[in-house]
Amino acid sequence: RSADCPDSPLGRTPGKQWYQRRVRGTNLRVAMSYDQLCQKIGTAIFKIGSNVNSLQKQVSIIGTQGETPALRAQWERKKVEIQNAVESTNGMMRQVTDMCKESASPQEEKTRKIQVERLRQQFTDALKQYKKYQSIEAEKERAALTRMRSRTASLRSEMTRQPIVDTQYAENDQLVDDDNRQQKLAELQEFQDELDTTTALINEREEAIRRLESDMVTVNEMFREIGAMVHEQGDMIDNIEANVEVAKDRVEDGTAQVIKASEYQNKYRKKVFILLAIVVVAAVVIGLVIYLTTRGKK
């Protein structure tokens, strides 16, 4: 199927523009919550790691007799799945980063930032693992391509050294025998068949290398985008910490004011109590003086 068809299991890896449309379309159709998005990111990262591990176990087969068309088709499907997951996860990471700014409080924003940072680190590790596999695969593919080109050169050289059977059939007594002629024709046909097959495999492998190199460029772009998000997230956490510190200072100031108010209230109560005690004592003294004075007159 054509390179523009994303559903083809053996087709070319879909371009970045298709994935961006796919991510945007998904966002428009499904409004996921922050927790749902984080869960989906975690699932995608796990899928990337699982597929990469599967490919790493078979990378040594590339360029050997164990490499069959069925295996190559399986590898291509897994690589398409990885590329899908990588690009969609990158889009979801941008969304979840933006969601951190929509938190209800600075503390919630900081908590989300820590969670997003953990997801970003897991995504980065998965990308590093995938990038390492891509480098190994590219090396294996290029080595196999070099051997194939060397083989085609050897086949062409061998074919040029073969006698021209039809021309020498009548002139060369050694080739008069029909069985010998048929054998020479069969050998030439074998050389030609192998040359055609090897040439087709060379074209297929060259196309695979071009797709692989395109995927490697995409992964490198992902690393740059993650670096930009880390920088942005760093500025954001600085602002969060500053807001938390301001809120902390305000809470401390408020607490100090409450303590001072409590102290003032206690002092006021003491003053009122002392005044009341003085009034009571004075009233008692005056009462005693009046009582004693009145009794003395009697």
Side-chain angles (χ1 to χ4, degrees), residues 60-235:
S60 61
I61 302 177
I62 295 176
T64 67
Q65 292 181 350
E67 180 185 6
T68 64
L71 270 179
R72 288 196 67 86
Q74 180 184 347
W75 296 339
E76 287 302 318
R77 285 195 296 270
K78 286 188 180 295
K79 285 189 285 186
V80 169
E81 288 178 5
I82 292 173
Q83 208 68 19
N84 278 342
V86 164
E87 298 202 20
S88 63
T89 302
N90 190 58
M92 289 188 291
M93 286 300 303
R94 287 195 296 269
Q95 294 178 50
V96 82
T97 299
D98 292 338
M99 283 184 174
C100 288
K101 304 172 186 177
E102 303 170 359
S103 304
S105 66
Q107 185 60 40
E108 182 186 41
E109 189 174 359
K110 188 173 183 179
T111 301
R112 285 187 174 186
K113 186 270 170 186
I114 294 172
Q115 184 179 12
V116 170
E117 183 61 31
R118 183 168 59 250
L119 288 172
R120 181 180 294 111
Q121 186 59 52
Q122 293 172 356
F123 184 39
T124 301
D125 292 342
L127 282 180
K128 287 180 180 178
Q129 185 184 12
Y130 183 37
K131 186 176 181 180
K132 181 179 179 180
Y133 164 77
Q134 286 179 321
S135 298
I136 297 174
E137 182 190 0
E139 181 180 352
K140 293 280 187 181
E141 291 282 6
R142 293 188 184 107
L145 183 61
T146 299
R147 290 194 298 271
M148 285 182 173
R149 286 172 175 168
S150 176
R151 179 57 182 163
T152 56
S154 176
L155 286 170
R156 290 190 176 96
S157 175
E158 189 68 25
M159 290 176 68
T160 58
R161 289 197 296 269
Q162 294 295 317
I164 302 175
V165 178
D166 289 339
T167 302
Q168 295 187 357
Y169 180 69
E171 300 176 357
N172 193 333
D173 294 339
Q174 295 178 355
L175 296 178
V176 172
D177 183 75
D178 189 62
D179 291 339
N180 192 21
R181 178 175 180 275
Q182 293 298 325
Q183 181 181 354
K184 294 297 180 181
L185 286 173
E187 289 176 358
L188 283 174
Q189 188 60 47
E190 287 179 4
F191 283 133
Q192 186 61 52
D193 290 344
E194 184 178 354
L195 180 62
D196 293 341
T197 301
T198 305
T199 301
L201 291 174
I202 286 175
N203 294 334
E204 179 183 342
R205 201 170 293 276
E206 286 176 340
E207 179 63 24
I209 291 174
R210 282 192 290 270
R211 290 198 303 269
L212 178 59
E213 289 173 345
S214 176
D215 291 345
M216 293 173 74
V217 169
T218 300
V219 171
N220 287 332
E221 290 176 355
M222 298 292 175
F223 276 108
R224 284 194 291 269
E225 290 185 24
I226 290 175
M229 282 191 286
V230 168
H231 180 73
E232 179 183 351
Q233 193 80 349
D235 293 339

Side-chain angles (χ1 to χ4, degrees), residues 52-65:
V52 171
N53 285 333
S54 177
L55 289 174
Q56 285 177 330
K57 292 177 181 178
Q58 298 178 322
V59 70
S60 61
I61 302 177
I62 295 176
T64 67
Q65 292 181 350

Side-chain angles (χ1 to χ4, degrees), residues 258-297:
V258 170
I259 293 173
K260 288 181 179 179
S262 179
E263 290 176 354
Y264 290 150
Q265 189 174 17
N266 290 335
K267 289 179 180 179
Y268 175 75
R269 287 175 181 174
K270 288 180 180 179
K271 289 180 180 180
V272 170
F273 177 77
I274 292 172
L275 288 175
L276 287 175
I278 293 173
V279 170
V280 170
V281 171
V284 171
V285 171
I286 293 172
L288 286 174
V289 170
I290 294 173
Y291 172 74
L292 292 174
T293 302
T294 305
R295 187 175 180 181
K297 289 181 179 181

